[in-house]
Amino acid sequence: MKRQISFSILAAALAVLVLSFFPEMEMKAAGTATLNSAVIQGDQVVVTGTSSIVSEDGILHLYAQDPYESGVQGVEVAQAPNGVVSFLFPLNKNSSGSNLFKKFTIVAIRNGVPTAVSNSVYITNPEACAAHTAARRDGGIKGILPASQLLNAGYLKDLGVQQATYNLFLGRITTGGGINYQYNGKTWQFNAQAVSEYDIVAKRLNSQGIQVTFILLNDLGADPTLIHPLARDGVAANYYALNAADQAGAEKLAAVASFLGQRYSNTGHGTVDNWIVGNEVNARQMWNYMQSSGVDQYAAEYANAFRILYNGLKSENANAQVYVATDQQWAVGSNPAHYYGSRPFLVSFNDKIRSEGNIDWRLSSHPYNVPLYDPNNWTPNGNATHSQRSRYVTMQNIDVITDFLSQPELLSPSGNVRSLKLSEVGYSSIAGDQQQAIAVTYAYLQAISNRYVDGLIISREMDEAAEIVQGMSVGLLNGSAQPKMAFDFYKHAGDPNYLAQASAMAGVDLTSLITVR
């Protein structure tokens, strides 16, 4: 026995000595494991990949993990022999053991210790288990942010808009009760009064043939569960980063997404075709507050929350589309300590998503003019160029965004260029009604000339007092709900006669300033 022990010690020492001189042998001996996909098939999940890993017990163990878990945290859900990377296990949708929102990682036994040996992947086709496939209202790109008090006034029908956005405040619907929702083995409370208001909005817009996009805004509600832990330091902001960083946040976010996806899937409460996650989230300090040590960490936390919302919404309504939200700052942020450029943020976000299973995310952008109060969006002033190094993206150079999305590494899982919704853009009439009328005409002309744009949303139907004092009288109606000149021009956007009038007022043929894509 003593001789055997001595021999074992000698062999181990020799192995360490050899590996110290030939470290590449360690890599070869260790092997590699790569997970390629996790998809729903029926009521099962299939995870596949490749591996040259040799687990000491002869078994590769697949762990299901929450977004905030890593290493060997989580629950083992399946096994496969060494060399076989194909796992099959139940989806368990809407149960305490649900795998719908999990990421999956291979664990092997090394030196007697369970060790994570692969990348992690999420389910990429949550629509495969959807209970609903509500028909979409894809009718055209002309849209507006409606005034809630004017939903039945007839202005939207007169304008001929085909789309509308509406802000949904998560703090409102998750504070209070009245609606009990059973999900993943728990009962969740939703504010019946607040939810009924959103029901009315969705149904009234649908009844006018208008496609609805809800913008999910994480306001500071009474329950901080949905607020990211790194956003709970008391800093005042308009909205806050979503919380997928702990169990309470991830579970509640999944319940919220599933509740909303189910409720607004033609189930008697109206249909919402599109969901935008946050508002100008690259503007970290003001619109999606979270402490951050850099764009990669920040984008990763957003991606984790986005993934939960995406899976929850599409697992209820297969036809729903889910959008990332950025502003007009492109190559760099105006204040790097408070803002990230949309482009570096999207690069980091996309890298994170692709590394864990590509999904069909879309992009929502706010290509306001620079400066904001200047309605002249057609005359080049150096703020927006047709280069990826452009400081800003406005209606003059939205081709910069769609060219960026056309890169191979940015394509959707089906190989298509992701669509772009210009979900908030407006022009002030304080400098004169003609200037605003020209601006909305040019914006529509530019948007309709880019085949990747799926919506142009004018940011106000009616002027808002708080914005007027800031020089932003961007409504198509004044504060008394009287139409401005821009109302008539937006109503007739695309009409050659109105285009000719707008060009005459601008002193230039607006069609000569269009970039076709």
Side-chain angles (χ1 to χ4, degrees):
M1 178 65 72
K2 290 181 180 179
R3 290 178 182 176
Q4 290 178 349
I5 293 174
S6 298
F7 180 78
S8 298
I9 294 173
L10 180 62
L14 181 61
V16 170
L17 182 63
V18 169
L19 289 175
S20 67
F21 283 99
F22 302 101
E24 68 276 5
M25 292 183 63
E26 181 178 18
M27 294 178 61
K28 184 176 180 181
T32 59
T34 302
L35 291 178
N36 296 327
S37 69
V39 296
I40 297 171
Q41 292 184 6
D43 59 357
Q44 302 284 306
V45 181
V46 179
V47 178
T48 57
T50 60
S51 173
S52 59
I53 295 289
V54 177
S55 182
E56 292 170 1
D57 62 351
I59 297 171
L60 299 178
H61 306 261
L62 190 72
Y63 278 37
Q65 302 173 317
D66 288 307
Y68 50 85
E69 293 181 314
S70 60
V72 294
Q73 294 176 310
V75 177
E76 183 171 341
V77 290
Q79 297 179 349
N82 282 341
V84 177
V85 188
S86 181
F87 304 92
L88 180 68
F89 51 95
L91 175 63
N92 292 331
K93 180 184 176 183
N94 196 6
S95 75
S96 59
S98 174
N99 288 307
L100 178 60
F101 303 95
K102 303 293 187 180
K103 61 182 178 182
F104 306 102
T105 307
I106 295 175
V107 171
I109 306 301
R110 284 183 166 171
N111 299 319
V113 178
T115 306
V117 295
S118 76
N119 60 313
S120 301
V121 295
Y122 287 89
I123 288 169
T124 55
N125 66 334
E127 63 276 6
C129 69
H132 309 281
T133 51
R136 291 180 58 82
R137 289 176 168 81
D138 294 323
I141 72 165
K142 188 195 292 187
I144 202 163
L145 174 65
S148 58
Q149 66 269 40
L150 299 178
L151 286 176
N152 290 329
Y155 291 114
L156 300 181
K157 182 178 180 180
D158 191 20
L159 269 176
V161 294
Q162 296 104 358
Q163 299 190 34
T165 58
Y166 205 83
N167 295 330
L168 188 153
F169 298 96
L170 296 176
R172 288 197 66 214
I173 67 169
T174 59
T175 302
I179 297 176
N180 293 332
Y181 182 65
Q182 305 294 324
Y183 194 70
N184 283 353
K186 294 185 178 182
T187 301
W188 304 89
Q189 299 287 326
F190 291 93
N191 187 307
Q193 180 177 345
V195 171
S196 69
E197 294 174 14
Y198 294 115
D199 293 351
I200 292 171
V201 170
K203 288 191 290 186
R204 285 183 180 174
L205 291 172
N206 287 167
S207 70
Q208 299 175 64
I210 296 173
Q211 183 181 74
V212 178
T213 298
F214 274 172
I215 303 169
L216 300 177
L217 300 174
N218 198 26
D219 56 318
L220 193 61
D223 181 359
T225 304
L226 290 177
I227 306 295
H228 194 284
L230 293 177
R232 299 176 189 166
D233 54 1
V235 171
N238 293 301
Y239 308 119
Y240 297 82
L242 290 160
N243 179 23
D246 58 35
Q247 181 179 352
E251 288 183 351
K252 188 165 186 175
L253 200 56
V256 168
S258 301
F259 170 76
L260 292 174
Q262 180 185 105
R263 191 170 187 88
Y264 298 112
S265 300
N266 194 29
T267 55
H269 310 286
T271 298
V272 176
D273 286 351
N274 309 309
W275 302 86
I276 298 175
V277 180
N279 174 71
E280 300 183 354
V281 297
N282 59 296
R284 177 186 66 84
Q285 187 74 17
M286 181 180 296
W287 296 110
N288 194 61
Y289 175 69
M290 188 187 87
Q291 299 174 43
S292 175
S293 60
V295 66
D296 290 341
Q297 179 227 12
Y298 177 78
E301 292 298 324
Y302 176 82
N304 287 340
F306 184 93
R307 178 85 68 168
I308 292 176
L309 287 167
Y310 181 94
N311 281 17
L313 291 165
K314 290 187 72 69
S315 68
E316 296 300 330
N317 181 4
N319 288 337
Q321 293 179 356
V322 190
Y323 291 73
V324 182
T326 57
D327 69 4
Q328 81 271 40
Q329 300 174 90
W330 185 246
V332 295
S334 58
N335 180 344
H338 294 167
Y339 304 87
Y340 298 117
S342 295
R343 188 178 188 278
F345 169 80
L346 288 169
V347 168
S348 291
F349 170 83
N350 183 62
D351 286 348
K352 170 74 170 175
I353 291 292
R354 286 182 70 206
S355 71
E356 297 177 329
N358 200 9
I359 51 178
D360 190 24
W361 60 268
R362 312 294 178 102
L363 179 59
S364 133
S365 179
H366 296 174
Y368 278 105
N369 210 28
V370 181
L372 288 173
Y373 55 80
D374 183 2
N376 187 335
N377 62 350
W378 62 93
T379 301
N381 60 11
N383 288 316
T385 68
H386 298 280
S387 163
Q388 289 299 317
R389 295 186 297 274
S390 181
R391 182 76 175 272
Y392 299 99
V393 283
T394 71
M395 288 309 301
Q396 285 183 23
N397 66 335
I398 56 170
D399 53 287
V400 167
I401 308 178
T402 56
D403 287 353
F404 169 78
L405 294 174
S406 297
Q407 297 175 98
E409 61 271 24
L410 268 296
L411 298 179
S412 74
S414 61
N416 294 320
V417 177
R418 302 176 193 275
S419 63
L420 169 67
K421 192 176 297 294
L422 307 173
S423 56
E424 184 181 318
V425 61
Y427 303 99
S428 181
S429 62
I430 287 179
D433 280 4
Q434 287 190 359
Q435 294 279 297
Q436 186 187 33
I438 299 167
V440 297
T441 301
Y442 176 73
Y444 180 83
L445 186 62
Q446 189 77 295
I448 206 72
S449 300
N450 191 314
R451 66 185 182 277
Y452 304 119
V453 171
D454 65 20
L456 172 68
I457 313 297
I458 299 300
S459 60
R460 291 285 176 198
E461 179 183 11
M462 185 171 72
D463 283 344
E464 190 169 278
E467 293 180 343
I468 293 174
V469 298
Q470 301 174 31
M472 294 291 290
S473 181
V474 298
L476 301 184
L477 307 172
N478 63 24
S480 300
Q482 298 301 309
K484 304 178 189 177
M485 179 185 289
F487 182 99
D488 199 35
F489 274 71
Y490 195 52
K491 173 181 176 178
H492 296 283
D495 184 317
N497 293 325
Y498 279 82
L499 176 56
Q501 291 180 57
S503 294
M505 291 187 295
V508 61
D509 180 2
L510 294 178
T511 61
S512 70
L513 305 176
I514 298 304
T515 305
V516 178
R517 285 292 186 269

